[in-house]
Amino acid sequence: MRIHIATDHAGLEFSTQLQHHLAAAGHDVIDHGPLEYEPLDDYPAFCIRAAQAVVRDQQAGVEALGVVFGGSGNGEQIAANKVVGVRAALAWSIATAELAREHNDANVIAIGARQHTFDEAATFIDRFIATPFSGEERHARRIAQLAAYEQDGTLEADPRAAAGRPDVLAADDSSFDPEAG
């Protein structure tokens, strides 16, 4: 499988170790940066490029996943999720790594390099890679809803509307008076 990796300065040492670990397991590893330690670097471009590469590969029929990490993994997950077609999940345990794939068909895993040892992070990533999407109808349905929203803003109908209550997203809040209590 092809694995696209990106990080920032906080995860650079992890990145080097992880590339060796994944290559030894037979994966084709592509590093999207950074190339050297720079304490003031910015992760968005690195993580977005890795996420774009995952989507391109998957659309071309290449088995691919992504791994992004930084100090907490939060910003890196947010950056990756800006790419249409990416479902990036922050994993902090074996269970969250496995469920990200099994239930959400996540194609990018985010890890906090300052939150885990290398061995812990490698275990999460290995489980993420090894776990297939379950394909269960309820999970596929939810993923389709996310994709529809991503493509054209489509949302399922608000159940409050059927009960005669207004859709809070469509409600005109201009009459709201915070002083009225």
Side-chain angles (χ1 to χ4, degrees), residues 51-124:
Q52 289 171 325
V54 169
V55 171
R56 265 193 314 273
D57 277 352
Q58 290 180 336
Q59 289 173 342
V62 175
E63 255 193 316
L65 293 172
V67 179
V68 297
F69 42 97
S72 70
N74 285 310
E76 294 75 19
Q77 175 199 25
I78 292 167
N81 274 320
K82 297 299 180 186
V83 175
V84 173
V86 167
R87 289 175 305 284
L90 180 65
W92 64 91
S93 67
I94 291 174
T96 57
E98 187 173 274
L99 289 170
R101 292 282 302 135
E102 191 175 284
H103 289 188
N104 305 111
D105 198 18
N107 51 7
V108 175
I109 185 173
I111 305 275
R114 292 182 176 150
Q115 314 304 312
H116 305 283
T117 66
F118 174 77
D119 289 338
E120 288 172 332
T123 301
F124 305 160

Side-chain angles (χ1 to χ4, degrees), residues 120-159:
E120 288 172 332
T123 301
F124 305 160
I125 293 163
D126 289 344
R127 181 64 62 93
F128 179 80
I129 292 168
T131 302
F133 174 53
S134 72
E136 288 182 36
E137 188 277 330
R138 65 188 172 121
H139 300 307
R141 181 180 69 242
R142 294 166 185 159
I143 292 165
Q145 290 172 17
L146 292 170
Y149 181 77
E150 193 172 57
Q151 291 299 318
D152 61 17
T154 301
L155 287 175
E156 294 291 312
D158 188 326

Side-chain angles (χ1 to χ4, degrees), residues 15-39:
S15 179
T16 303
Q17 288 180 278
L18 186 61
Q19 288 177 55
H20 293 296
H21 172 80
L22 292 171
H27 299 292
D28 175 21
V29 181
I30 299 175
D31 179 16
H32 293 271
L35 298 175
E36 58 187 34
Y37 182 79
E38 169 53 57

